[in-house]
């Protein structure tokens, strides 16, 4: 029964930890550490197993988030969350109607670890303020302030009008076609005036180490590399003539494009779209963050 109780809550624990950390592997480590504590606790003294497990996992994730913040100061280039595999999202959606869109994960990482934990517990999983306050070790009044500050920040950083999945996919396809065909004018028209391109390569593959801002700079870079897959393949440790594919996929409920070769994902691109135009391009090419991204057979 002890194991069954824990397994029944595993998707919830993973969902909380992943949203707080933005790293699936670290989230799984948190869940494993939670299990070790659950396995040794006196269960007769636990009135509410769900509350105990979520509290333990949240505090462990919060501790890791604080230490990760310092580690990322030495990270090579921009840091983006690890994309979620569609299979993981299905489990997480069983616990909450709110999917873990990749763009939202990026915004959450700009919050302080404490604000992030409060936002995740309150907004994504609808825990009562009193329970959130107990989990994070703050007063309920302080927790409400943290939640309000986090909500305001997320609202400011999120697009005002987001497309449905079908429109998102159409715009993604147009973006990809313009990039590959070197259509500079077409790509520039598709970008907003404050467009930004962010690439997370971890210094492992060819990508800008800093974000590119503005439609002209972004479009010129994308069209320049659009026809040079050989360079990217080489930077990924593959021969320049390796056959590759570009296919639609999904990351946290958001349409995305995966570049793959030799049976593994080499790059995942997601677009943040506002009013029918691309506001932000997020590219993950750090191979350590792509191991869970499925590729077509």
């Amino acid at each position: 029964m002890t194991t069954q109780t824990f397994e029944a809550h595993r998707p919830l624990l993973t969902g909380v930890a992943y949203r707080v950390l933005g790293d699936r592997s670290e989230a799984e480590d948190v869940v494993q550490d939670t299990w070790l504590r659950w396995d040794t606790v006196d269960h007769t003294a636990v009135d509410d197993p769900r509350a105990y497990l979520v509290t333990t996992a949240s505090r462990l994730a919060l501790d890791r988030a604080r230490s990760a913040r310092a580690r990322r100061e030495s990270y090579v280039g921009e840091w983006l969350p690890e994309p979620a595999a569609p299979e993981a999202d299905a489990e997480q959606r069983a616990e909450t109607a709110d999917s873990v869109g990749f763009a939202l994960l990026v915004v959450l990482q700009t919050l302080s670890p404490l604000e992030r934990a409060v936002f995740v517990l309150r907004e994504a999983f609808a825990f009562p303020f009193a329970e959130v306050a107990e989990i994070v070790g703050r007063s309920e009044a302080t927790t409400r302030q943290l939640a309000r500050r986090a909500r305001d920040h997320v609202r400011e950083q999120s697009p005002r009008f987001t497309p449905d999945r079908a429109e998102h996919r159409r715009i993604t396809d147009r973006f990809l076609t313009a990039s590959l065909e070197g259509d500079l004018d077409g790509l520039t028209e598709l970008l907003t005036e404050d467009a930004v391109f962010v690439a997370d390569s971890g210094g492992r593959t060819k990508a800008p180490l800093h974000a590119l801002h503005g439609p002209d700079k972004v479009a010129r870079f994308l069209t320049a590399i659009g026809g040079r897959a050989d360079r990217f393949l080489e930077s990924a440790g593959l021969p320049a003539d390796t056959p590759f594919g570009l296919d639609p996929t999904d990351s946290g409920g958001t349409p995305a494009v995966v570049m793959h070769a030799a049976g593994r994902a080499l790059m995942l691109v997601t677009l943040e779209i506002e009013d029918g135009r691309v506001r932000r391009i997020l590219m993950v090419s750090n191979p350590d963050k792509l191991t869970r991204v499925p590729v077509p057979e």
Side-chain angles (χ1 to χ4, degrees):
M1 182 62 71
T2 298
T3 302
Q4 290 178 344
T5 299
F6 183 85
E7 291 301 324
H9 292 92
R10 180 185 288 273
L12 171 60
L13 304 180
T14 303
V16 169
Y18 174 62
R19 285 166 169 81
V20 171
L21 292 165
D23 186 305
R24 184 75 179 179
S25 298
E26 289 215 2
E28 290 175 349
D29 288 344
V30 164
V31 174
Q32 180 61 26
D33 289 344
T34 303
W35 159 253
L36 294 176
R37 298 192 182 196
W38 172 250
D39 192 41
T40 57
V41 75
D42 179 6
H43 297 105
T44 62
V46 178
D47 294 328
D48 186 343
R50 182 176 185 267
Y52 173 89
L53 291 169
V54 172
T55 298
T56 301
S58 298
R59 290 176 177 175
L60 289 170
L62 189 53
D63 288 343
R64 281 182 175 255
R66 287 167 173 151
S67 61
R69 197 173 194 180
R71 292 197 306 272
R72 287 172 194 166
E73 292 179 1
S74 61
Y75 191 80
V76 178
E78 302 283 349
W79 187 94
L80 291 173
E82 177 186 350
E87 295 86 349
D89 291 343
E91 291 181 348
Q92 292 164 14
R93 283 196 293 269
E95 295 292 338
T96 175
D98 178 57
S99 66
V100 57
F102 191 67
L104 175 58
L105 276 179
V106 173
V107 173
L108 290 181
Q109 295 302 312
T110 64
L111 298 171
S112 72
L114 186 58
E115 289 172 337
R116 199 183 316 150
V118 169
F119 182 90
V120 167
L121 290 166
R122 177 60 187 169
E123 300 299 323
F125 292 94
F127 280 87
F129 275 115
E131 195 168 346
V132 176
E134 184 175 352
I135 291 172
V136 301
R138 296 293 190 275
S139 69
E140 185 171 340
T142 298
T143 301
R144 288 180 179 274
Q145 291 176 348
L146 288 165
R148 182 170 60 252
R149 190 159 64 231
R151 280 197 307 270
D152 290 345
H153 180 79
V154 169
R155 189 180 302 114
E156 290 171 1
Q157 297 297 317
S158 299
R160 291 169 297 172
F161 304 104
T162 56
D164 59 28
R165 286 185 60 83
E167 183 184 3
H168 199 299
R169 175 60 63 197
R170 285 195 298 271
I171 295 173
T172 299
D173 290 343
R174 285 178 55 199
F175 170 86
L176 185 61
T177 299
S179 299
L180 293 175
E181 294 181 352
D183 182 1
L184 181 61
D185 291 338
L187 188 56
T188 302
E189 291 177 1
L190 195 56
L191 301 174
T192 63
E193 292 302 314
D194 59 347
V196 59
F197 173 84
V198 182
D200 178 347
S201 67
R204 305 277 299 279
T205 58
K206 288 187 179 297
L209 294 181
H210 303 289
L212 303 178
H213 296 270
D216 292 337
K217 186 176 292 186
V218 172
R220 290 184 184 282
F221 173 77
L222 291 172
T223 53
I225 67 169
R228 297 308 308 269
D230 55 335
R231 291 185 179 180
F232 190 84
L233 289 166
E234 289 176 340
S235 72
L238 296 171
D241 60 351
T242 302
F244 69 93
L246 287 166
D247 290 278
T249 186
D250 181 279
S251 180
T254 301
V257 174
V258 59
M259 177 182 180
H260 57 94
R264 60 188 173 98
L266 303 181
M267 175 174 61
L268 186 82
V269 177
T270 60
L271 306 180
E272 182 181 295
I273 297 170
E274 182 176 88
D275 293 336
R277 299 169 73 192
V278 179
R279 179 189 184 196
R280 185 161 53 168
I281 304 105
L282 304 171
M283 184 185 88
V284 177
S285 60
N286 182 340
D288 293 338
K289 296 185 177 183
L290 297 172
T291 58
R292 301 171 192 275
V293 176
V295 298
E297 297 292 338

